[in-house]
Structures are given as C-alpha cells and as structure tokens.
Amino acid sequence: MVDKVQAELKSAFSDLTIHEESYPECGYHLSLDLAAGDLEKAARFFDDRRFYLAVELCVDYREYLEIVYIFSIHSSLCKVKVTLKIDPVNPVAPTLSKVFDCAWWYEREIHEFYGVRFDGHSDMTYLFLHDGIDVYPLRKEKVLVAEADRLELNSFSPEQREDSLSINMGPQHPSTHGVLRVVLRMDGEYIEDAYPVLGYLHRMQEKMAENRTYQQFLPNTGRMDYLGAMSYNLGYVTAVERLVGIDVPARAHYVRMIATELNRIASHLLWVGAYLADLGGLSPFLYAFDDRENLLDVLEAVTGSRLTYCYFRFGGLYNDVDDAFVAGTKAFVARMRGRFALYEKLVGGNVIFINRTRGIGVIERELARKCAVCGPVLRGAGIGMDFRKAEPYAAYAEMNFEIPTGRNGDALDMYHIRIREMETSLDIIDQSLARLSDGPFMVEKPPKKLKPRKGDLYHTVETPRGELGIYIVSDESDKPYRMKWRVPSFSNLMAFPELAKGNLLSDAVAILGSLDLVIPEIDR
Amino acid sequence: MEQILKILDIEGVRLAVGLLAVFLFVVVNALILTWAERKVAGHMQLRIGPKEVGPYGLIQPLADAMKLLGKEIITPRNVDKPIFYLGPIMIFIPVLVAFVVIPFDSYLQVRDINVGILVILAFSSFTVLSILMAGWGSNNKYSLIGSIRSIAQSVAYEIPLLLSLLAVIMMTNSLSLKDVVVAQKGIWFIFLQPVAFIIYFIAAVAETNRTPFDLPEAESELVAGYHTEYSGMMFALFFLAEYTNMFIVSAITVTFFLGGYQGPFLPGIVWFLLKSYFLVFVMMWFRWTFPRVRFDQLLNISWKALIPLSFINLLVTGGLLKL
Amino acid sequence: MDKVLDLARANSLWPVTFGLACCAIEMMSAAMSRFDIDRFGAGVFRPSPRQADLMIVSGTVTKKMAPVLLTLYDQMPSPKWVIAMGNCAISGGPFVFEGQYNLIEGVDKLIPVDVYVPGCPPRPEGLLEGFLKLEEKITGTRRFPGPVERW
C-alpha cells in the first residue's frame, strides 16, 4: 500500500521530493512538504484514494509556522504526513474544509490558537477560546490578537434570526455530560441546525505540555479523558518510550493491557448507564455503577486511585501487581461475564429502548471518513478499524480478539458494539492473565531525565472512545517542544451536527449520547 | 355518633369537613408518596434511599416540605406574572374536585354526584391548562416546549381514557361512581373489561406525566420542563399535584375496575387505599424501569393503537350487552 | 422556629445537576448504589437551579465557564450553599502554571464557598464527609462521630 501511494504521489507531484520515513520511529511512512498552491490538489488526491484526515495541527518553529496534516486510511496501515510552511508575521493558509469536514474544525482551532487565517473558510469564530484572551496562546512569542481578527472571532450570534427558535443546550444541561454547549435552531420540535460551542473546560493541556517535562506531564494525561485514563496513560508512555527508545519488560506489557482493558470496561459501563439515563431510564445507571465499583476496587488496590489513574511509568509500571490483584481480576471477569444477560434483559431487550435507538443517528461510511470518526462510532458504521489490531502497541499483537462491527450505524448498533467490546476486553484480560509470568515490571535503570531524539512522532492508540493520536515534536530538551492530542471525542462530535439535522430534540439527545463524548478530552 | 352524622348531613358542614379532610389527605398523601417513591427507587436501584432522617427516613418528606416552605420564591425577570403565579394554584382545582366525588368507602364520600365521572374528567383538563400557563408564563424556552408537549399529550390520551371508561359505564348505566362500585359486587370489571383496564391505565400514566410518558418534564431534554423556572413553594405545589394526581388516577382505576372499596374482612377504606397504593406502586415501578418514549412514538401509541383498540372494545361491549 | 428550619434544610440538601469535569464522575458515584447520598436526603439532583439548595462545583472552572457558573448561582433561591469539590475548584489544582490564560484559580474568587473537599478527585466518601460538614455548619451539631485524627 505504501509503495503504491508513493508511486502515485510521485507521478502526481513530479516536482516534489517525497521522503520515505522510518515508521517505527516516526509513526508515519511518507512525508512531503507542499507549497500552498498544491495543498488542495494533494487533499483531493488523498480523498480520491479513500484516505481520511486524521489530524490537522500547527507547530510554531519561530522562523515559520508549520501546518501538519496526517492522512491515514482505514483499510490498511499507511500514514502520510503533509506539511505546509507559512509566514509567521502574516499567516495565511488555504482551507481544506471543502474536502474534509473535519478540517473545518481543526482550522478554527488553529486560527484561535495561532492566528493563522484560512482562505475560504466559512466560519472563523471562537471554538475553544473566548474574548477574554488577547494573545494567541500557543505561539512561542507573545502575539496579540489583531483588532480585525477579534471582530471576526466574536461574530457568532445565535439569536440573529427571528423566524426560528434557537435553544441553548448547555453548558449546564443534564444530557451533555459536562459542559458542552450546543446551540440548536429549532422548528417546533425538529432541529434545523446544531452548532456546538466548545471550550468551557479548556484546561490548556497542550500549552502546559510545553511547560512541563515529559515526566511532569504524565498525571495530566489521566485528567484529559477521565473515563479512559489508563488508555491515555498508556498512549502517552508508549509514545514517549517510542520517541526515546525504551524497551519495556514483558510483564509490564501484560499488566498494562489488563489495567487498560479493565478501564475500558469501566468506561463502557458508565456509558451504558449514562446513555440510558439520557433516554429517561435511570435504574440501569445504578446497575452499571455497581459493576463499576467492583471493578474500581480491583484497580484501586494496585493503582491507588479510582478515576484519574497515573499508573504507568516510562519503562514500566509504578508498582508491581500481586496475587490479590490477579485473583480480584479473575473474580471480576467471572462476575462480569454473568452480568451481560442482565443488561440484555434490562436494556437491550427493552422495547422502548429499541424503538428509541433503532435507525437513529445513522452514520454513513462517507460521513464517517470525512469527519474522521473513530472508535465504536466508526465500527458502528461497519468499518472494522481498531488500533489495537491495526497498529498494535504494548503486546496487543499477541492477543486474539474480535473487532465487533455494526451493520446499520445507528445508536442501537453503538450500544451492541460497546457491550461486545466489553466482552472482547474480558477475552484480552483472560489471555494476558494467562501469559503473566514473573519478571521485572520496570526496566533496570529507569531514565531520570528523558532526552529524546530531535524530530517528531505521531503515535496512535485505541481508547474507549477511539483513535487517540499523540503528535510530539522534540527539540532534544527534556520538555516537549509541541504536543498535540488528536482526541477521539472531538472527531466524533464533528459528525453530530450532520446527524442531528432534521431530527427531533429527543433524538438529538439520543444521538449525542450514542457518540460517548467526554468533554475535557475535547476541550483539553 | 348519631348526632355527628346528623350534623354531617347538613350540606354546608359536610362540604366543609370534606374539603378540610381532602386538603389534609392531599398533603399527607404527597408526603407519604415522596417518601415511598424514594424508597422504592432506592430498593430498585440496589441502594437504600432515605435512611438517616428519622426511622427509615420517614421524616425525610417533612424536612423537604419544611425546607421548600422556607425557600426564597424567585420571580424571574420577564415572566408573565399573573399567569406565572396562577399556574401552580390552578393545578389544584381538578385535584380537589376529583376528591369530592371519589367514594373511599360506602359512606366516605364528600358528595355523590350522579355525573361523578363526568365531573372528574371535565375538570382534569384543567391540569393541562395550568401546565400551559406555567410554561407560557415562565418565559423560558424549555418550559414552553414542555407545556406544548403536555397539551398534545393530554389531547391524545384523554380520548382513550374516556372511551375505556365509557365501556364500563355502558355496563353500569350510571355515571355515578358509587353505582359503578356497587355494580362490581359480584365480579370486578377488570375481569369483564381487561382491555379497557389496560388502556385506561396506560392513558392514566400518560395523563399524570409519569415515565415512560414524562415528556413535558423530560429531564435529559428539557431540564425540568414546564416547572423549570419555579422555586420553593411554587415548585412544591407542582410536586404535590403530581403525587396527588397519581393517587387520583389510581383511585379511579380502583373504583372502575378493581371493585372500589369492596373486599372481605377489612373495612372498605382500607381496601380502597390498599388497592390504590398498589397501583401507585406499579406506576413507580414503571418509572424506575422504563426509559422514556419519544414524542412521536408517544402520539403514535395513542392515535394508532389505543384509540382504535378502545373503539373496538366499545363496539364489542355494546354488541355483547345487546345480546 | 429557625432551629427547625435549619434542621429541615440540613436534611434536605438538593444539589443541582451540574458536573464540570472529572470530579463530576465521583459526584455521581456518591449518588450511586455503594455510597448513596440519598440516605441523608441529599439525593434529589435537580436539573433546574431554581429548585436546588446546593451547588457542588465539581471540577475546573475556566474563564469561559465563569459567567455561566455565576448565572447558575444567581438563579438558585436562597438559602443556598456551595461545596467546592476537588483541587481545581479549590485553587486551580494541577492546572495552575505560569502563563496560564484560562483558569479561575479557585471558585471562591467567584462565589462564596461553604465547604472545601480536597482531592484530585476526592473519593465519594470525601464528598459525603463534605455533606456532613455542611450539615454541621447549618445546624451546629454533627450527625455522626467525626473521623478520628491519627496524625
């Protein structure tokens, strides 16, 4: 696949050099540096070949700003990094929002954080930030927001149209699970347009990463996605280990996988409960939490926390697991396997639940690709993409498990996929427990100070919500030069306006719930 | 004793005593039901529910009521004041009227009106009016949508409600509730009219805006629906009305289908309350088990299933009676 | 009369359904089967601030969220109380660093706070203790014997 794309790229862009990169080191296979004029052509090139835009981000190299596009494909492993250098004094770039829907969001983000204007972009208003911030926060030098830019950023006013009712769902609303705000333009009970406004929990994680050493930033990862904290931990440590070049002992790998999968089950359990609560049925929430509490007991004994874990270290684990943990995990696995029947009775077989979710929020494959939707939502659309299989990290390559996919892409499918994913997680735990052998849980000499090589890395892991991409630029110091988190909830949210259009208000709640959003992860 | 009965026979006294009793009953009933609801919810959800406030948490509702009494009543800006204040008060009219005609026992009835059921049904439309007033007066979009939903819902569900009761009335040939009860001396109407019973009970749950038909106050969609803007005592009134309504529809169900106050051994009033509270429990059971239906599904259930079914039921009843 | 009212208030603290960040999950846990805050009469989470007595600020308050939080607080009818749950709500927690641009370093800069529950996130037991402390503050007496100080 890589060779084919390389050959085709060569013939399409004859005057450009296409660099072949070392995938284990960088996380992408090819890279090319484009001029602004070629960008849209390149995007169309990838679009035609069914690639999706995994992430679009910006790095401030002081002499120039670099916009990085990572293109990836669902059907095989091939990642291409496309870069575009722009002038930092008057930064303008062409937009890709006409080709890839997700670019519309990423470009708004880059605009408010770096001040890059995108030619032809339809909406350059605030997405994460707000009027009170007068600089572009992620620029390395202090750059004030220009007056013209400020006016443009502030030009969003939902009440401007008289003839329709606009409703603010959020930031404090029972069904948004946090502080997401969606402005809905309504025609009676039907939604004409949904417009998410984000950033009510923007905690400056990416800015913070630049101010902290690699070790100091580790606890932050658990607070980005508090439900899948282990996956974030794992993603971050594996990324940095890959960047620095640390080999982790086998025992640590298995324990990492067990902990991560347990955490995935906890996350999905909470989703099942919260989703039913969205639909008005409160009791399953408590049953799910009951299971979750049992699970947390197991995890708490070894990690010391219930929610925002920080259990993994560069080179291994914080502490070793004991027999009690193994026994507790086994007991939980046995208990959980018996609980699925109960959920089927309580939730899956409920007529009202089925009627509320069948045919609601159907995600077409094309939309899924254009919005770079990921995780269970993508698998619901029938694309069996899972980074635990596609790009195995830790010891997932040794594991034997299925990837559940859906047929219709509706909310009911998402429910079944998440339930089945819990079962596959149990399978993985079983296999890991069987392979768990004695040995060190930490490398012999854990690095005191990390000095990664110069360069960048795009590392992906599968969190309970989908594709988590970590893009790290290192300048050989012990602090990352730039760290970008490509978060799954954000991409899943991008599909929401399209899905909500023309549906009832109650359906919008059902759709929003089925996407399983975690707001701090979106806002970072 | 006889003298007391004699005094009670005087129209005015009877009415006054009755109203006082009804008022007391409304308050006590709501207190018990809020406690019961939280306890039922707790036990259905693997937890205990109120426990620390009094034995078994029995004083809990009293504490809640006291607290709500002591709360500031906020009048939000831009509300339509008269309508905003009238809403929660109006909601009590149908409640009081209903109590006047329900026979708790063979002698425990404030007034036996010969068109008793008609009175209840006619006044029950007031509920939706006051919900509309609350929703409109609040000047809040969620409230407005909630009250609009409530209207559509009650229009849709009043028809099957009426039709299912009509089938029973055809059998008794009387609109007086007492006559209906007396007619069930031999066999309860639930056995003669099972379809009507089911239709009536579903419609009744919908009329009281309880889950799975709690769309007017759907928490995850509309925050708190029509009473979003009400605080303190005004909110407590809505709460009170909701629980009283639950009891009333259960009481009517008992009167029409479960033999009213009739039963062996125990006095009539005990039987009546037992049956009614059992139905209330069933409604709580619904609430803590089912998710909420969607708005269009809600209307479909009524217009496409319940109404045709109740018409057929009516026809069959009529045909059988003629035979 | 005031005493009775206080007792009633302390035993019926209805929190507003208002979750901000990680701590919100622990707040939910506190309401669930194992911890069951409803035992103390505080389990009625009201979605509308008009019907609530207590705001649990469960998470980081950003500058973008601050006006919303203030509105919510103003919408609550008095008497009302606030619990600052977690380090973020107390002081900004782990997200304070030099050059931060979007954080309110402690919710007490915006609204008066009655009880602080530290932790990142606090355990549900911690929140329960916060509730008991608040009850103690309202009524002057403590419901259970307090925790033993061991150090």
Side-chain angles (χ1 to χ4, degrees):
Chain A
M1 183 73 194
V2 180
D3 300 335
K4 190 175 147 238
V5 171
Q6 192 176 8
E8 284 176 348
L9 268 174
K10 258 201 183 104
S11 61
F13 302 93
S14 49
D15 49 340
L16 283 173
T17 45
I18 292 141
H19 306 280
E20 232 176 299
E21 307 281 350
S22 142
Y23 169 74
E25 264 180 30
C26 302
Y28 46 85
H29 299 91
L30 303 169
S31 77
L32 63 157
D33 192 36
L34 285 177
D38 280 340
L39 189 70
E40 194 168 332
K41 188 182 159 201
R44 299 234 181 255
F45 171 90
F46 288 113
D47 188 32
D48 290 343
R49 281 158 189 77
R50 324 290 307 155
F51 275 77
Y52 69 95
L53 179 59
V55 69
E56 177 178 348
L57 61 106
C58 187
V59 188
D60 184 358
Y61 285 106
R62 291 175 206 267
E63 304 95 70
Y64 58 90
L65 296 177
E66 187 176 73
I67 299 185
V68 180
Y69 306 84
I70 305 259
F71 290 97
S72 181
I73 190 161
H74 290 132
S75 55
S76 87
L77 181 59
C78 173
K79 287 187 178 167
V80 185
K81 181 180 95 163
V82 176
T83 52
L84 174 72
K85 291 187 174 59
I86 50 176
D87 172 30
V89 183
N90 184 23
V92 184
T95 175
L96 282 195
S97 57
K98 293 185 188 93
V99 189
F100 291 102
D101 293 10
C102 57
W104 188 79
W105 302 79
Y106 287 124
E107 281 164 8
R108 284 176 68 187
E109 186 187 338
I110 294 171
H111 175 230
E112 57 188 354
F113 281 99
Y114 286 91
V116 179
R117 270 177 294 112
F118 286 90
D119 264 349
H121 194 287
S122 63
D123 185 352
M124 289 261 96
T125 55
Y126 279 122
L127 182 64
F128 289 109
L129 301 182
H130 56 96
D131 202 17
I133 296 163
D134 56 353
V135 291
Y136 296 115
L138 284 180
R139 290 287 283 263
K140 291 282 176 186
E141 273 115 28
K142 191 177 173 186
V143 182
L144 289 174
V145 178
E147 195 51 42
D149 218 17
R150 177 184 294 263
L151 280 178
E152 195 177 10
L153 280 166
N154 270 323
S155 59
F156 172 62
S157 59
E159 306 271 340
Q160 62 201 185
R161 280 185 48 170
E162 279 284 310
D163 55 339
S164 59
L165 181 68
S166 71
I167 283 190
N168 259 320
M169 224 163 87
Q172 184 263 337
H173 190 277
S175 77
T176 53
H177 303 289
V179 285
L180 172 70
R181 173 180 169 207
V182 185
V183 181
L184 298 169
R185 215 172 64 230
M186 310 282 294
D187 177 19
E189 284 255 340
Y190 286 91
I191 291 165
E192 285 185 341
D193 201 9
Y195 188 93
V197 182
L198 310 170
Y200 287 92
L201 204 63
H202 173 58
R203 300 197 276 197
M204 311 160 285
Q205 306 262 23
E206 285 172 11
K207 178 83 181 168
M208 228 172 139
E210 296 173 13
N211 288 300
R212 293 269 192 275
T213 62
Y214 286 98
Q215 283 102 331
Q216 281 174 333
F217 189 68
L218 186 55
N220 276 43
T221 55
R223 279 155 185 83
M224 240 181 266
D225 175 359
Y226 43 72
L227 297 180
M230 284 288 189
S231 300
Y232 266 66
N233 261 212
L234 185 59
Y236 182 61
V237 292
T238 45
V240 175
E241 279 160 5
R242 195 170 170 183
L243 194 69
V244 182
I246 304 174
D247 276 328
V248 181
R251 184 176 171 86
H253 273 318
Y254 294 125
V255 176
R256 280 178 178 186
M257 283 196 304
I258 296 170
T260 310
E261 294 307 319
L262 282 175
N263 192 222
R264 190 185 308 271
I265 295 173
S267 168
H268 282 342
L269 274 176
L270 193 130
W271 176 81
V272 170
Y275 189 47
L276 262 288
D278 281 352
L279 298 179
L282 277 173
S283 291
F285 206 175
L286 285 102
Y287 283 82
F289 255 81
D290 184 40
D291 283 340
R292 193 170 168 270
E293 289 289 346
N294 278 291
L295 193 161
L296 292 189
D297 284 344
V298 177
L299 278 180
E300 192 189 340
V302 59
T303 64
S305 46
R306 283 166 52 90
L307 197 65
T308 48
Y309 305 104
C310 181
Y311 177 47
F312 308 142
R313 295 289 187 272
F314 303 117
L317 309 165
Y318 162 61
N319 57 2
D320 201 2
V321 298
D322 50 6
D323 292 340
F325 173 79
V326 176
T329 313
K330 276 184 179 149
F332 173 77
V333 170
R335 175 197 155 99
M336 195 63 212
R337 285 202 197 277
R339 297 285 279 186
F340 291 118
L342 176 109
Y343 285 111
E344 181 58 32
K345 241 198 217 151
L346 196 63
V347 183
N350 190 314
V351 184
I352 298 178
F353 173 74
I354 292 171
N355 280 332
R356 279 295 302 273
T357 50
R358 184 182 283 150
I360 297 302
V362 178
I363 296 201
E364 306 283 339
R365 284 173 182 227
E366 190 60 14
L367 178 72
R369 188 175 65 85
K370 291 270 187 189
C371 289
V373 158
C374 52
V377 182
L378 179 71
R379 294 193 276 276
I383 302 173
M385 169 84 162
D386 189 323
F387 282 91
R388 288 175 292 177
K389 270 244 159 85
E391 275 186 80
Y393 49 97
Y396 279 110
E398 301 168 23
M399 295 295 132
N400 179 23
F401 63 98
E402 270 179 88
I403 305 174
T405 52
R407 237 172 297 148
N408 311 318
D410 55 5
L412 187 61
D413 268 6
M414 314 275 179
Y415 167 77
H416 285 301
I417 283 174
R418 289 199 175 97
I419 290 284
R420 270 153 64 204
E421 263 181 27
M422 285 197 247
E423 289 175 48
T424 60
S425 289
L426 292 177
D427 291 344
I428 295 175
I429 292 170
D430 273 344
Q431 294 173 38
S432 303
L433 279 176
R435 279 158 211 247
L436 196 62
S437 54
D438 287 340
F441 65 95
M442 189 80 190
V443 287
E444 291 215 343
K445 270 195 195 150
K448 286 252 155 54
K449 206 165 184 189
L450 293 174
K451 288 272 186 198
R453 64 179 168 80
K454 199 175 168 72
D456 61 351
L457 165 77
Y458 182 69
H459 181 73
T460 27
V461 295
E462 184 82 18
T463 78
R465 268 149 285 282
E467 174 183 357
L468 169 70
I470 306 165
Y471 184 76
I472 306 177
V473 179
S474 150
D475 61 348
E476 286 188 295
S477 72
D478 58 349
K479 294 175 183 172
Y481 185 78
R482 166 90 169 105
M483 196 187 294
K484 164 78 187 173
W485 293 77
R486 180 247 189 256
V487 286
S489 291
F490 189 27
S491 340
N492 289 349
L493 174 72
M494 291 170 191
F496 174 68
E498 199 54 47
L499 296 176
K501 227 166 260 178
N503 275 317
L504 288 163
L505 180 62
S506 333
D507 286 342
V509 173
I511 295 168
L512 202 62
S514 77
L515 297 177
D516 190 11
L517 305 178
V518 169
I519 310 305
E521 175 188 65
I522 299 178
D523 290 348
R524 288 164 306 213
Chain B
M1 188 69 197
E2 273 194 9
Q3 232 158 7
I4 299 174
L5 281 178
K6 214 173 240 167
I7 296 172
L8 275 180
D9 257 359
I10 304 166
E11 196 66 2
V13 177
R14 197 184 165 93
L15 212 66
V17 172
L19 274 178
L20 197 71
V22 162
F23 190 73
L24 270 177
F25 182 80
V26 164
V27 173
V28 173
N29 168 67
L31 288 181
I32 293 171
L33 282 188
T34 46
W35 174 81
E37 172 120 82
R38 283 166 77 171
K39 270 305 208 195
V40 168
H43 284 279
M44 279 186 186
Q45 296 175 336
L46 311 169
R47 55 192 182 92
I48 311 173
K51 168 171 173 286
E52 301 294 340
V53 190
Y56 303 100
L58 271 169
I59 307 178
Q60 184 64 56
L62 220 61
D64 288 342
M66 288 286 296
K67 180 206 71 178
L68 283 171
L69 273 170
K71 278 237 120 172
E72 176 192 8
I73 292 180
I74 291 181
T75 312
R77 223 184 321 155
N78 296 333
V79 298
D80 199 335
K81 270 188 194 148
I83 295 183
F84 183 73
Y85 286 123
L86 262 178
I89 296 166
M90 285 266 290
I91 206 162
F92 266 91
I93 295 175
V95 170
L96 292 178
V97 168
F99 272 111
V100 168
V101 293
I102 292 177
F104 283 79
D105 202 341
S106 50
Y107 56 89
L108 259 181
Q109 191 178 13
V110 180
R111 199 79 180 82
D112 184 23
I113 304 173
N114 60 0
V115 286
I117 188 62
L118 214 59
V119 172
I120 291 182
L121 291 176
F123 273 92
S124 75
S125 309
F126 260 79
T127 315
V128 74
L129 189 64
S130 54
I131 287 177
L132 175 66
M133 286 165 84
W136 177 262
S138 296
N139 189 27
N140 176 313
K141 289 165 186 169
Y142 289 122
S143 305
L144 187 62
I145 294 183
S147 59
I148 290 170
R149 280 182 174 185
S150 174
I151 295 166
Q153 184 172 334
S154 85
V155 166
Y157 277 86
E158 242 159 46
I159 301 167
L161 196 85
L162 272 166
L163 290 176
S164 57
L165 289 184
L166 201 58
V168 176
I169 290 165
M170 277 167 75
M171 295 174 72
T172 59
N173 281 323
S174 167
L175 290 170
S176 153
L177 294 175
K178 204 162 199 168
D179 293 350
V180 174
V181 175
V182 171
Q184 296 178 73
K185 196 131 198 142
I187 184 163
W188 293 358
F189 282 144
I190 184 174
F191 301 112
L192 301 176
Q193 288 284 354
V195 180
F197 170 73
I198 290 165
I199 292 171
Y200 176 79
F201 199 60
I202 292 174
V205 174
E207 277 284 290
T208 47
N209 298 333
R210 298 276 302 180
T211 318
F213 306 113
D214 61 339
L215 286 131
E217 41 194 307
E219 185 177 318
S220 56
E221 295 154 29
L222 300 179
V223 187
Y226 57 85
H227 56 60
T228 303
E229 292 288 348
Y230 286 92
S231 59
M233 216 42 231
M234 313 252 276
F235 164 66
L237 286 178
F238 279 115
F239 226 64
L240 219 61
E242 179 185 336
Y243 283 104
T244 317
N245 264 331
M246 265 170 81
F247 178 79
I248 289 174
V249 294
S250 306
I252 297 174
T253 322
V254 169
T255 311
F256 268 76
F257 296 100
L258 298 177
Y261 50 77
Q262 300 176 70
F265 311 125
L266 297 170
I269 174 91
V270 177
W271 271 115
F272 185 81
L273 290 180
L274 267 181
K275 290 174 188 168
S276 301
Y277 281 119
F278 173 72
L279 286 181
V280 171
F281 168 73
V282 172
M283 284 165 87
M284 288 177 183
W285 191 359
F286 280 175
R287 170 156 178 195
W288 300 109
T289 316
F290 289 136
R292 188 182 305 120
V293 300
R294 207 171 58 208
F295 190 58
D296 56 331
Q297 290 167 346
L298 170 97
L299 294 182
N300 279 348
I301 294 170
S302 175
W303 293 106
K304 292 190 182 159
L306 293 186
I307 292 179
L309 213 64
S310 49
F311 265 119
I312 294 168
N313 183 46
L314 206 60
L315 271 176
V316 172
T317 311
L320 284 177
L321 280 178
K322 259 278 167 280
L323 290 173
Chain C
M1 188 65 212
D2 270 357
K3 269 248 154 87
V4 177
L5 261 181
D6 281 344
L7 212 59
R9 282 169 184 156
N11 284 311
S12 147
L13 291 166
W14 293 359
V16 55
T17 320
F18 178 49
L20 277 170
C22 331
C23 295
I25 305 292
E26 290 301 67
M27 180 174 82
M28 287 194 271
S29 293
M32 295 296 157
S33 330
R34 185 176 292 184
F35 303 101
D36 191 12
I37 220 162
D38 203 21
R39 286 180 296 153
F40 307 101
V44 188
F45 279 83
R46 294 306 309 172
S48 164
R50 300 249 188 248
Q51 295 144 14
D53 316 294
L54 170 69
M55 182 192 263
I56 302 175
V57 184
S58 54
T60 321
V61 183
T62 61
K63 283 184 182 154
K64 194 166 183 172
M65 195 62 198
V68 184
L69 187 106
L70 278 175
T71 318
L72 269 176
Y73 183 74
D74 290 342
Q75 279 175 340
M76 284 164 61
S78 54
K80 53 191 166 186
W81 295 274
V82 177
I83 290 182
M85 184 185 181
N87 292 350
C88 292
I90 294 173
S91 68
F95 299 101
V96 183
F97 62 97
E98 218 173 302
Q100 64 92 354
Y101 52 88
N102 200 25
L103 201 69
I104 306 281
E105 293 179 15
V107 71
D108 46 8
K109 298 213 164 111
L110 298 172
I111 52 177
V113 175
D114 293 279
V115 175
Y116 297 87
V117 182
C120 190
R123 299 177 53 92
E125 292 97 322
L127 185 61
L128 285 181
E129 175 61 24
F131 265 94
L132 295 182
K133 270 266 183 297
L134 184 57
E135 287 178 7
E136 193 183 340
K137 187 175 178 180
I138 297 170
T139 59
T141 49
R142 196 183 156 81
R143 189 194 290 278
F144 296 133
V148 185
E149 282 198 29
R150 290 215 197 103
W151 53 82

